[in-house]
Amino acid sequence: MDPLASMRLYTLSKRHFVLVFIVFFVCFGLTVFIGIAGPKIIDESTFSASKLISNNTLNTGPFHLKSPPLSTYNQQLWLTCLIQLSQTDGMEFSKEVDMKVEIKGVMNDASVRNIYDSVHNRSRLLHCGATCDEIIVVHLGYLNYTQYQINVNFTKLQTMKYKINEVIFTWKVYNPSFSQVEIWFRFVFVVFTFMVTCLFAHSLRKFSMRDWGIEQKWMSVLLPLLLLYNDPFFPLSFLMNSWFPGMLDDLFQAVFLCALLLFWLCVYHGFRVQGERKCLTFYMPKLFIVGLLWLSAVTLGIWQTVNELHDPTYQFKVDTGNFQGMKVFFLIVVSLYILYLIFLIVRACSELKNMPYIDLRLKFLTALTFVVLVISIAILYLRFGAKVLQDNFVSELSTNYQNSAEFLSFYGLLNFYLYTLAFVYSPSKNARYDSELKDNPAFSMLNDSDDEVIYGSDYEEMPLQNGRAIKASTKYEDETDSD
């Protein structure tokens, strides 16, 4: 047990633990219900190509498409294409389709200008079974114009075995109502996180940092990072037409999530390593593993963003060689992290089960983290299903939202997880008073029984040896008077 900054966790009864979990689930469920009642995230506008051109040119084009009127609250723009065939005989096949895309922007004065100097030439892999998969033609990460005109031409479709009945184009943008909900909820989470951070720092102000437990030290890092994860700069994306606010949001999320992964590794290992934790042997291996995860996530985001700035038709899933290499590297590092974390948890549970205070900290963190991970996996599965395991799911994540609940569930889950940890890891009200009494010999003897003063306590905690707590029972011999 930490000598001074004892945690509120030590003072909670079983009834209080149940109440903590109930409050956590109630708060999380409240955000989910608010999200379910909220607006759709994606607005769609569908156009049939047969209404634009004759059926004889459906397999080539050109298709002259004009987007719906746009505002900054629409955030992003996608143009997707769905090809409907007359029949496929139940056969599955894939075909490479080449397309030429020209993008123009409509100014406020209704004048039209070419956004890029040249026509973009890109290939897409069309996969068909009973129906054909939707392909993304263009993705604009931020909107500089109130409307866009896009001209699309296909090649190689005329060589298909099956006749094309229809080509359906769909414009997808963020719902302005959802953008307003997102702004308000991010603001609420920012305010709550700032309040929790200040209260947690205030509760530790009377204790020296060297007396903080490892969880308390990490919470002092994670809470400010959670503030960045909620992104107080998010409204900038509606005030300036630039890629920078979106890139900043992605960077903040990657930093916080990787810090959370590092927190789990350090805490579960730190339970077994009491005293000084050396940087080279304790922190460096963990920083190396989590740093690789952060580097791969940031690289993938920057790679996609930079290429889309020069070519809105670019998708990293088309850059097969580099994308597959990045995917294999990422999966290897994730597997290594999971194995290392499981190893640390198993070692901690097996070696510290007889330590009264550390065992309590271990059980609570494991139980709450397990609940959060189970909910996260369930949300991912319900949201993406089998696409989680497919090569192309990463580039299409932002078009698969169905309602505000899917957005609020992730943000609410992580926020309430950190709020709960901050509550139980904050010092109890009498922590300073108890520690002063304990450190003062005149007062500490008042709290000891006569037997403990004369003979000592029945059990004495010994240092960890090979990770196990050894309880040495003190033997006493009865003394008889010679009289």
Side-chain angles (χ1 to χ4, degrees):
M1 181 174 177
D2 300 309
L4 288 179
S6 61
M7 303 174 188
R8 193 186 307 271
L9 181 69
Y10 300 147
T11 65
L12 298 180
S13 63
K14 292 182 179 180
R15 183 173 56 186
H16 292 147
F17 280 118
V18 173
L19 186 61
V20 166
F21 278 91
I22 289 176
V23 172
F24 171 80
F25 283 114
V26 167
C27 293
F28 173 71
L30 184 62
T31 59
V32 173
F33 284 128
I34 293 175
I36 292 175
K40 266 181 57 177
I41 287 186
I42 297 297
D43 276 346
E44 299 182 359
S45 302
T46 301
F47 298 92
S48 299
S50 59
K51 297 180 180 179
L52 303 175
I53 59 176
S54 63
N55 291 334
N56 296 330
T57 56
L58 278 179
N59 52 5
T60 58
F63 305 100
H64 302 288
L65 307 168
K66 183 179 291 187
S67 73
L70 303 171
S71 69
T72 54
Y73 286 103
N74 293 123
Q75 300 191 45
Q76 301 182 40
L77 175 68
W78 291 266
L79 176 62
T80 63
C81 174
L82 179 63
I83 297 175
Q84 296 179 347
L85 304 178
S86 57
Q87 60 179 2
T88 60
D89 300 329
M91 299 282 294
E92 289 192 8
F93 65 93
S94 298
K95 182 175 180 59
E96 189 176 88
V97 178
D98 294 336
M99 61 182 187
K100 296 181 179 180
V101 180
E102 182 183 14
I103 305 175
K104 299 179 180 180
V106 180
M107 308 288 288
N108 290 326
D109 57 0
S111 60
V112 179
R113 57 172 295 185
N114 288 323
I115 302 177
Y116 302 95
D117 297 333
S118 59
V119 176
H120 303 288
N121 296 291
R122 282 290 170 185
S123 297
R124 295 286 190 266
L125 187 62
L126 178 65
H127 178 77
C128 295
T131 59
C132 293
D133 292 343
E134 192 176 52
I135 59 176
I136 298 178
V137 179
V138 169
H139 173 227
L140 294 170
Y142 65 98
L143 306 177
N144 276 335
Y145 301 92
T146 57
Q147 198 172 35
Y148 288 87
Q149 294 179 0
I150 299 180
N151 301 323
V152 182
N153 289 273
F154 290 115
T155 58
K156 295 186 179 180
L157 281 180
Q158 59 269 30
T159 61
M160 288 185 64
K161 176 181 177 181
Y162 303 100
K163 179 183 177 182
I164 298 177
N165 277 347
E166 185 63 88
V167 178
I168 298 176
F169 290 96
T170 303
W171 297 99
K172 296 183 180 183
V173 295
Y174 276 96
N175 185 353
S177 298
F178 166 74
S179 296
Q180 296 177 11
V181 169
E182 185 178 10
I183 292 173
W184 278 106
F185 266 91
R186 282 180 181 259
F187 174 74
V188 169
F189 284 135
V190 165
V191 172
F192 282 168
T193 304
F194 180 76
M195 292 172 58
V196 171
T197 305
C198 292
L199 290 173
F200 186 78
H202 181 76
S203 67
L204 289 170
R205 74 192 187 284
K206 295 182 180 179
F207 301 93
S208 173
M209 186 175 293
R210 66 174 178 270
D211 297 321
W212 295 3
I214 186 172
E215 300 98 321
Q216 292 168 330
K217 293 177 181 178
W218 266 104
M219 289 306 299
S220 65
V221 174
L222 288 177
L223 286 174
L225 291 180
L226 179 63
L227 194 65
L228 295 180
Y229 175 77
N230 293 323
D231 195 3
F233 307 106
F234 178 71
L236 286 178
S237 59
F238 302 98
L239 300 176
M240 55 188 295
N241 295 324
S242 173
W243 54 269
F244 181 72
M247 180 68 73
L248 201 62
D249 187 33
D250 294 339
L251 180 63
F252 288 159
Q253 293 191 35
V255 169
F256 169 74
L257 292 175
C258 288
L260 189 60
L261 297 178
L262 186 61
F263 160 73
W264 290 334
L265 292 180
C266 291
V267 169
Y268 279 111
H269 193 187
F271 286 150
R272 296 188 298 112
V273 181
Q274 300 296 323
E276 183 182 1
R277 302 177 180 95
K278 296 182 179 180
C279 179
L280 186 62
T281 57
F282 184 82
Y283 288 105
M284 284 305 295
K286 303 171 182 60
L287 283 171
F288 178 73
I289 296 175
V290 177
L292 290 179
L293 288 174
W294 179 84
L295 185 63
S296 59
V298 172
T299 301
L300 198 62
I302 294 177
W303 181 10
Q304 175 78 5
T305 302
V306 170
N307 281 284
E308 281 187 350
L309 288 175
H310 297 92
D311 182 3
T313 63
Y314 177 83
Q315 286 182 284
F316 53 74
K317 70 175 184 180
V318 179
D319 196 355
T320 308
N322 292 326
F323 176 66
Q324 287 296 332
M326 179 66 72
K327 179 185 175 183
V328 171
F329 172 77
F330 182 78
L331 291 178
I332 290 175
V333 178
V334 169
S335 301
L336 183 63
Y337 174 87
I338 293 174
L339 291 176
Y340 187 32
L341 181 61
I342 293 175
F343 168 77
L344 293 177
I345 294 175
V346 172
R347 285 286 301 272
C349 291
S350 62
E351 297 178 1
L352 303 175
K353 58 184 178 181
N354 294 324
M355 298 285 289
Y357 291 110
I358 296 181
D359 181 51
L360 180 62
R361 291 154 63 181
L362 177 63
K363 288 180 178 178
F364 178 80
L365 178 63
T366 304
L368 186 60
T369 302
F370 178 76
V371 169
V372 170
L373 290 178
V374 168
I375 295 175
S376 300
I377 294 173
I379 293 172
L380 284 173
Y381 181 79
L382 292 174
R383 177 178 163 190
F384 303 115
K387 288 188 176 181
V388 173
L389 303 177
Q390 294 179 359
D391 293 342
N392 62 343
F393 86 99
V394 179
S395 58
E396 298 177 358
L397 294 185
S398 49
T399 65
N400 286 336
Y401 288 105
Q402 297 299 322
N403 52 55
S404 304
E406 296 175 350
F407 162 76
L408 292 178
S409 59
F410 278 106
Y411 275 86
L413 184 66
L414 293 177
N415 276 273
F416 294 129
Y417 174 65
L418 265 293
Y419 299 163
T420 304
L421 293 181
F423 172 74
V424 298
Y425 290 150
S426 61
S428 59
K429 292 181 179 180
N430 299 325
R432 184 69 182 180
Y433 175 75
D434 293 341
S435 63
E436 289 174 351
L437 290 182
K438 180 179 179 181
D439 295 338
N440 191 331
F443 287 102
S444 62
M445 292 187 65
L446 296 177
N447 297 325
D448 296 333
S449 65
D450 293 339
D451 291 339
E452 288 177 337
V453 172
I454 298 173
Y455 300 111
S457 59
D458 291 339
Y459 291 98
E460 180 181 0
E461 289 293 332
M462 301 297 291
L464 289 177
Q465 295 181 4
N466 297 325
R468 294 189 178 275
I470 300 177
K471 288 188 175 181
S473 177
T474 307
K475 297 181 179 179
Y476 306 110
E477 296 181 355
D478 293 333
E479 298 181 0
T480 59
D481 280 339
S482 58
D483 297 338

